[in-house]
DNA sequence: ATACATACC
DNA sequence: TACTGGTATGTAT
């Protein structure tokens, strides 16, 4: 507590601001010199001061962590060690080396495009962006330490000759479309990450490629190749080699042109009509893809080939620019690769995580593996799981589809804005822009968030969730304005001195207000609600809300999840000497209480008296607080019943999926609701991975057996039947839709413990399919659990159904589900599906597809910087008065 | 549910 | 002169 900031004085350089030379193109620079210039240029600025502050916060976090570490006993560590080893074993079992995942990334994309279109730039250090902020720099500029996310004026200090070119997103988008066309040839379900980056699953392509004639693997050089200012190196150096039609040259040659120099394996440039024949190996295929990209766009790409996304991403960086790297799909190769990998290279581990890990002596993934026991005592379960995966070289071996967007926002930075009228006016402008964007995607959301950044770079967000969804300017502004008003009043008589304002909408509901489906399913789901942090959510009986959390419950068998949670909690609690675990938490505090407590805490921590602001704030907060408090109270009342229901689930399920901590028994297995095989694990993450794969595969090639690695194989006849049903869907909705259905049926199973149990009782039970046409439910085989007579209880009406035939049961459930929704579902199928709706979502998110079906036909915007919302440079309307807004 | 922090491009 | 904008997710209350 009273540590003060003593040990965390902001003397040394700021890790936050120092050059990040971890990413490609910046090897062996004069770091110190560069950092010195960066610091000198920034010193004293408000930005710098704020960074200083934030750095100290991080330092305090680290101190706290170290303190915790110091209290860990040998015994605790030992126990933890056993635990993590068990987890590692389970994760190990989930390892899947059968897929070929490729991550492609254009080299210095924006900069490359600009250079291509303006040859003068070619040999100059240049960057795309503005004096305030750069998006990308070319490799020449990187030598000076100029890189993305650096303000232009600092870059100029580092490299006075730097040419800064303004961004031209339309152009980048156009190029992006071109390369995506190529991506689609190798994986129609590829997942774009941004305009210049994507994940592809090459597995299927490679399988087919083996039987392709050479002609299909032959690609011409650009007619007007080279020159044009874009040609870059490689083309010229293409030796007039033996091109001919001999596949032997490239046939399965991981050896030939082993990536190091990228497309150096160029052959076949016989005089005029140069072309090249590519082999059938992975590397050849990827090289071919990169070749085609280059021929088409005159821009180069780099790629990584690995058995999972996490590794592929790292690999694509390895031989950048214009190169590729393949990590062989063997456990040994993967483990070797991971050992020396700096943690910072891993996607998801950023500046702060790196610093915290470093403080524990962890800088490479091998350390990560060695320190898992310690980490398990210091980090959250989520982080721990991530670390563990990373240290084992694990990651997604399938590429999840893109989910529905979860929020939409617009924000703007400007010169200090202190006048109230202008602030409101600006706020309205933002709302207009946002409403316009919302309209484009036909979205409506219930939560409006206002974001403010003052001239000291302090960021504040204020949100309000409405009982209904909104979308229009007026609706959004009505909320945003009030939020802003509160902040203004809060600060008065000082003005808010803003440098940024933003408005966001989230908690989307289907545009056409067809909640009924959601309502019934969610209503049903409420009881099992559990979130990842272990706290039971408050349960305002608002029917449609927070799909993510609920689908969590949907997507995972609630019971087993609960079990798992308890397991983790129990061992952790013991080790830490904590009490209670996640289900018995403190009563929640009101907004006011929390705000107050927080301030006190801050005061204590910083020893900065704040009496003044205190009182003022309280009075203001209190007004909103009363509402919040009501909500909180009602949710607290409901929590008991939630727990009860959860416990019921547990008791139902225990026999099936006991976990080491839960039933005292050591794990058995879980039954996959897709393939119905027993998955030998109790680790939900492992189990989820399995389900993910099943889903992924069933949507891709429903008539092929899943998981070639598995010893248990699917009954192919059943598969076939399943496929026929799938055909129907495909006809009208394409693959996407099918996947949704798959999830859908999955959800129906998962949400009903009884049902689930009965399914488990007969692992041959095939997937119950929902027919896309009439919404009736059919079963592949009438269920024959005669011996047991499991009780089927309708998840909607809660009545016991006098049948053990799942077909009949499902039919009943369907009838129970809101008719209106079912109709809408029917209409839905005719909606065009966005073929790019692929994402990096996890299993939980897929459940969302179910709940969000209503909006799935929508086209979606790609991630930034892909398509920033149209920013109309609007002037501030000075005629607006505060009164106008305050009424 | 909110607020804030971290991460990615 | 000047340190982004859009989205998702984790952590804490």
């Amino acid at each position: 507590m009273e540590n003060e900031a003593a040990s965390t004085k902001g003397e040394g350089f700021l890790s936050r601001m120092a050059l990040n030379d971890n990413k490609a193109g910046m090897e062996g620079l004069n770091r110190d010199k560069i950092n010195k210039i960066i610091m000198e240029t920034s010193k004293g600025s408000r930005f710098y001061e704020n960074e200083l502050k934030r750095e100290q916060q991080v330092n305090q976090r680290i101190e706290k962590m170290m303190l915790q570490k110091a209290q860990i006993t040998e015994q605790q560590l030992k126990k933890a060690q056993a635990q993590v080893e068990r987890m590692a074993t389970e994760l190990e079992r989930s390892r899947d080396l059968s897929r070929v995942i490729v991550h492609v990334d254009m080299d210095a994309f924006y900069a490359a495009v600009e250079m291509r279109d303006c040859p003068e730039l070619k040999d100059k250090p240049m960057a795309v962006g503005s004096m305030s902020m750069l998006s990308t720099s070319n490799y020449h500029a990187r030598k000076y330490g100029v890189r993305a996310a650096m303000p232009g004026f600092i870059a100029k200090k580092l490299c006075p000759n730097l040419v800064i070119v303004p961004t031209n997103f339309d152009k980048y988008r156009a190029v992006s479309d071109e390369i995506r066309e190529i991506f689609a040839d190798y994986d129609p379900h590829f997942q774009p990450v941004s305009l210049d980056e994507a994940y592809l699953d090459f597995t299927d392509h490679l399988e087919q490629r083996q039987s392709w004639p050479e002609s299909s693997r032959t690609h011409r050089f650009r007619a007007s190749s080279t020159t044009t200012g874009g040609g870059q190196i490689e083309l010229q150096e293409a030796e007039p080699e033996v091109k001919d039609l001999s596949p032997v040259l490239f046939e399965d040659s991981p050896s030939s042109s082993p990536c190091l120099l990228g497309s150096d394996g160029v052959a076949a440039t016989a005089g005029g009509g140069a072309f090249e024949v590519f082999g059938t190996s992975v590397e050849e295929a990827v090289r071919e893809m990169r070749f085609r990209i280059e021929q088409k766009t005159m821009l180069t790409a780099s790629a990584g080939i690995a058995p999972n996304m996490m590794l592929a991403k790292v690999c694509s960086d390895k031989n950048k620019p214009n190169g590729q790297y393949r990590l062989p799909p063997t456990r040994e190769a993967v483990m070797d690769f991971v050992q020396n990998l700096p943690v910072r290279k891993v996607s998801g581990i950023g500046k702060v995580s790196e610093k915290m890990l470093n403080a524990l002596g962890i800088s490479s993934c091998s350390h990560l593996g060695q320190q898992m026991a310690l980490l398990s005592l210091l980090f959250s379960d989520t982080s721990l799981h991530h670390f563990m995966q990373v240290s084992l070289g694990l990651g997604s071996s399938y590429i999840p589809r893109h989910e529905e967007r979860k929020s939409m926002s617009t924000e703007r930075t400007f010169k200090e804005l202190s006048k109230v009228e202008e602030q409101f006016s600006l706020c309205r402008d933002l709302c207009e822009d946002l409403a316009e964007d919302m309209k484009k995607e036909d979205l409506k959301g219930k939560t409006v968030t206002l974001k403010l950044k003052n001239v000291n770079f302090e960021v504040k967000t204020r949100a309000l969730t409405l009982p209904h969804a909104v979308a229009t300017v007026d609706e959004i502004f009505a909320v945003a304005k009030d939020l802003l008003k509160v902040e203004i009043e809060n600060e008065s008589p000082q003005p808010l001195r803003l440098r940024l304002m933003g408005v966001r909408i989230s908690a989307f509901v289907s545009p056409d207000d067809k909640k009924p489906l959601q309502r019934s399913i969610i209503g049903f789901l409420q009881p099992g609600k559990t979130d990842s942090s272990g706290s039971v959510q408050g349960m305002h009986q608002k029917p449609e809300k927070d799909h993510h959390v609920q689908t969590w419950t949907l997507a995972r068998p609630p019971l087993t999840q609960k079990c798992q949670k308890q397991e983790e909690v129990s061992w952790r609690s013991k080790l830490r000497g904590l009490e209670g675990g996640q289900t018995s938490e403190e009563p929640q505090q009101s907004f006011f209480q929390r705000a107050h407590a927080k301030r006190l805490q801050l005061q204590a921590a910083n020893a900065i008296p704040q009496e003044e602001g205190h009182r003022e704030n309280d009075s203001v907060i209190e007004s909103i607080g009363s509402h919040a408090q009501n909500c909180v109270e009602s949710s607290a009342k409901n929590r008991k019943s939630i727990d009860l229901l959860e416990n019921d689930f547990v008791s139902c399920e225990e026999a099936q999926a006991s976990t080491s901590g839960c039933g005292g028994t050591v794990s058995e297995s879980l039954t996959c609701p897709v393939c119905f095989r027993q998955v030998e694990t109790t680790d939900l993450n492992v189990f989820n991975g399995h389900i993910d794969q099943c889903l992924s595969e069933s949507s891709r090639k429903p008539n092929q057996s899943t998981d070639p690695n598995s010893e248990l194989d699917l009954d192919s006849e059943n598969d076939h039947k399943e496929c026929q049903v799938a055909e129907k869907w495909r006809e009208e909705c394409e693959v996407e839709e099918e996947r949704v259905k798959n999830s859908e049926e999955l959800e129906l199973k998962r949400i009903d413990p009884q049902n689930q149990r009965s399914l488990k009782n007969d692992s041959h039970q095939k997937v119950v399919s929902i027919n896309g046409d009439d919404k009736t439910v059919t079963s592949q085989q009438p269920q024959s659990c005669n011996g047991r007579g499991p009780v089927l209880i309708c998840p909607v009406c809660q009545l016991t159904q006098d049948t053990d035939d799942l077909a009949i049961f499902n039919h009943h459930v369907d009838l129970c589900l809101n008719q209106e929704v079912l109709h809408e579902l029917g209409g839905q199928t005719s909606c065009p599906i966005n073929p790019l709706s692929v994402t990096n979502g996890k299993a939980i998110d897929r459940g969302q597809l179910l709940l969000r079906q209503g909006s799935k036909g929508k086209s979606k915007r790609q991630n930034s910087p892909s398509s920033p919302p149209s920013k109309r440079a609007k002037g501030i309307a000075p005629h607006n008065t505060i009164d106008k807004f305050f009424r």
Side-chain angles (χ1 to χ4, degrees), chain A residues 35-294:
Chain A
N35 282 330
K36 199 174 156 220
I37 296 179
I38 293 176
M39 290 309 164
E40 279 170 3
T41 312
S42 311
K43 209 102 176 190
S45 67
R46 297 184 200 261
F47 177 82
Y48 177 90
E49 292 304 319
N50 187 252
E51 288 299 292
L52 202 70
K53 205 174 82 189
R54 292 180 57 184
E55 170 129 31
Q56 285 172 10
Q57 281 169 10
V58 171
N59 287 339
Q60 283 177 13
R61 236 175 108 181
I62 291 175
E63 271 182 55
K64 215 171 113 190
M65 179 181 74
M66 297 308 270
L67 223 83
Q68 254 188 295
K69 182 193 169 196
Q71 293 172 343
I72 295 172
T73 68
E74 271 303 310
Q75 207 193 10
Q76 287 175 325
L77 210 56
K78 219 170 170 178
K79 230 169 172 174
Q81 182 63 38
Q83 184 70 28
V84 297
E85 275 168 24
R86 239 180 302 161
M87 286 167 77
T89 310
E90 292 215 345
L91 283 177
E92 185 58 53
R93 265 190 268 162
S94 76
R95 190 186 295 275
D96 178 359
L97 298 167
S98 69
R99 309 299 296 179
V100 182
I101 307 298
V102 175
H103 179 257
V104 212
D105 194 348
M106 298 297 289
D107 302 321
F109 189 47
Y110 299 168
V113 172
E114 298 303 337
M115 285 163 72
R116 176 193 72 176
D117 296 345
C118 180
E120 266 109 276
L121 294 172
K122 261 219 307 189
D123 27 55
K124 293 181 183 151
M126 61 85 65
V128 176
S130 70
M131 220 38 174
S132 298
M133 186 51 59
L134 303 179
S135 306
T136 334
S137 56
N138 67 5
Y139 280 79
H140 195 348
R142 289 182 198 190
K143 287 188 225 146
Y144 296 84
V146 174
R147 53 164 302 130
M150 176 181 278
F153 70 93
I154 289 181
K156 277 281 200 182
K157 286 257 162 68
L158 292 171
C159 173
N161 293 326
L162 182 74
V163 180
I164 298 180
V165 181
T167 51
N168 187 346
F169 278 103
D170 290 337
K171 209 156 69 176
Y172 313 144
R173 247 189 302 273
V175 180
S176 183
D177 288 343
E178 291 189 280
I179 63 175
R180 286 178 185 188
E181 274 179 30
I182 295 176
F183 292 163
D185 284 345
Y186 297 88
D187 176 8
H189 305 290
F190 75 91
Q191 180 194 65
V193 177
S194 61
L195 283 186
D196 75 317
E197 204 180 308
Y199 287 97
L200 292 78
D201 186 335
F202 261 58
T203 318
D204 294 348
H205 168 81
L206 288 168
E207 198 182 313
Q208 292 165 24
R209 191 181 178 88
Q210 301 313 308
S211 52
W212 279 12
E214 214 172 77
S215 59
S216 306
R217 294 181 270 112
T218 304
H219 296 273
R220 300 186 64 81
F221 281 93
R222 188 187 193 84
S224 59
S225 81
T226 45
T227 65
T228 332
Q232 321 263 84
I233 24 176
E234 72 298 316
L235 288 186
Q236 295 96 314
E237 66 177 21
E239 292 289 72
E241 281 251 7
V242 207
K243 61 123 245 118
D244 84 66
L245 303 177
S246 159
V248 186
L249 248 181
F250 301 102
E251 190 77 344
D252 288 306
S253 49
S255 45
S256 86
S257 72
C259 45
L260 281 178
L261 273 178
S263 46
D264 60 352
V266 182
T269 64
F275 56 90
E276 182 166 351
V277 182
F278 293 86
T280 56
S281 68
V282 205
E283 279 152 303
E284 281 294 289
V286 171
R287 212 167 60 72
E288 173 190 280
M289 176 178 70
R290 294 199 298 116
F291 174 85
R292 291 176 61 197
I293 289 172
E294 185 173 352

Side-chain angles (χ1 to χ4, degrees), chain A residues 87 375-376 378-388 532-534 564-565 568-569 571-572 576 582 685:
Chain A
M87 286 167 77
L375 293 174
S376 78
L378 297 175
F379 287 83
S380 71
D381 294 341
T382 329
S383 308
L384 180 64
H385 185 257
H386 185 232
F387 292 153
M388 179 104 60
S532 57
S533 66
Q564 159 108 10
K565 263 311 182 222
E568 284 171 9
V569 169
W571 74 264
R572 276 170 175 273
R576 293 175 184 167
Q582 330 216 6
N685 291 301

Side-chain angles (χ1 to χ4, degrees), chain A residues 411-688:
Chain A
E411 69 186 48
R412 216 166 290 161
T413 296
F414 34 76
K415 272 176 69 182
E416 174 168 349
L417 197 60
S418 312
K419 295 199 185 119
V420 175
E421 320 87 71
E422 292 180 347
Q423 290 169 346
F424 279 106
S425 175
L426 173 67
C427 180
R428 184 160 180 85
D429 288 349
L430 289 167
C431 291
E432 279 169 15
D433 285 358
L434 185 56
E436 196 180 298
D437 291 342
M438 292 283 287
K439 194 174 176 185
K440 279 184 205 146
E441 300 192 25
D442 197 12
L443 290 169
K444 285 177 157 226
K446 294 190 304 177
T447 303
V448 176
T449 306
L450 178 74
K451 175 176 172 181
L452 302 174
K453 190 192 283 182
N454 67 17
V455 291
N456 292 318
F457 290 86
E458 294 160 340
V459 178
K460 227 185 242 183
T461 59
R462 292 292 176 263
L464 185 67
T465 299
L466 305 162
H468 58 281
V470 296
T472 67
V473 200
D474 291 334
E475 291 167 328
I476 301 172
F477 183 59
V479 179
K481 162 199 88 183
D482 282 349
L483 293 171
L484 176 57
K485 182 183 156 204
V486 170
E487 291 313 306
I488 290 174
E489 289 175 345
N490 220 330
E491 200 78 1
S492 84
Q494 314 303 335
L496 284 180
R497 304 179 61 196
L498 302 179
R499 82 175 328 267
L500 171 146
M501 189 185 295
V503 181
R504 171 194 323 275
I505 292 223
S506 52
F508 293 140
V509 301
S510 343
D512 31 355
D513 251 7
K514 61 119 175 228
K515 307 321 167 5
L517 171 59
Q518 301 183 348
R519 188 180 312 254
S520 40
I521 288 190
I522 278 159
F524 166 69
L525 284 173
Q526 292 279 3
K529 229 163 124 180
T530 311
D531 76 16
S532 57
S533 66
S535 60
V536 178
Q537 299 266 329
M539 195 174 120
H540 318 230
Q541 285 302 29
K542 296 175 187 171
E544 1 64 24
K545 73 157 30 151
D546 200 353
H547 306 155
H548 349 319
V549 177
Q550 274 138 2
T551 41
W552 223 130
T553 321
L554 267 180
R556 304 291 165 231
L559 351 132
T560 31
Q561 188 189 338
K562 170 86 175 182
C563 270
Q564 159 108 10
K565 263 311 182 222
Q566 286 185 342
E567 174 190 3
E568 284 171 9
V569 169
S570 62
W571 74 264
R572 276 170 175 273
S573 317
K574 274 181 213 149
L575 293 186
R576 293 175 184 167
L578 293 179
E579 258 291 314
Q582 330 216 6
T583 44
S584 63
E585 44 179 277
E586 326 282 290
Q588 290 187 32
Q589 294 176 308
S590 71
F591 183 137
F592 171 76
Q593 289 169 316
R594 279 184 278 132
H596 188 75
K598 190 169 187 172
R599 265 193 305 277
L600 290 178
Q601 219 178 349
L602 278 175
Q603 278 178 280
N606 301 334
I608 297 171
Q610 284 193 347
E611 305 302 333
E612 293 296 305
H614 223 192
R615 261 152 232 171
E616 276 175 20
N617 288 350
D618 289 353
S619 59
V620 177
I621 290 173
E622 202 159 20
S623 63
I624 353 177
S626 59
H627 169 71
Q629 182 142 24
N630 288 337
C631 298
V632 166
E633 280 168 1
S634 74
S635 75
K637 276 178 208 149
N638 286 324
R639 203 170 306 122
K640 274 235 170 61
S641 55
I642 297 175
D643 282 344
L644 280 178
L645 281 158
E646 281 186 339
N647 287 332
D648 284 344
F649 282 161
V650 171
S651 56
C652 278
E653 195 65 5
E654 226 153 15
Q656 292 302 323
S658 59
T659 63
S660 41
C662 197
T665 7
V666 183
S667 88
E668 275 112 55
S669 61
L670 297 169
T671 303
C672 170
V674 179
C675 72
F676 286 88
R677 279 173 287 181
Q678 301 287 121
V679 181
E680 301 218 341
T681 183
T682 53
D683 184 326
L684 278 184
N685 291 301
V686 174
F687 184 56
N688 286 343

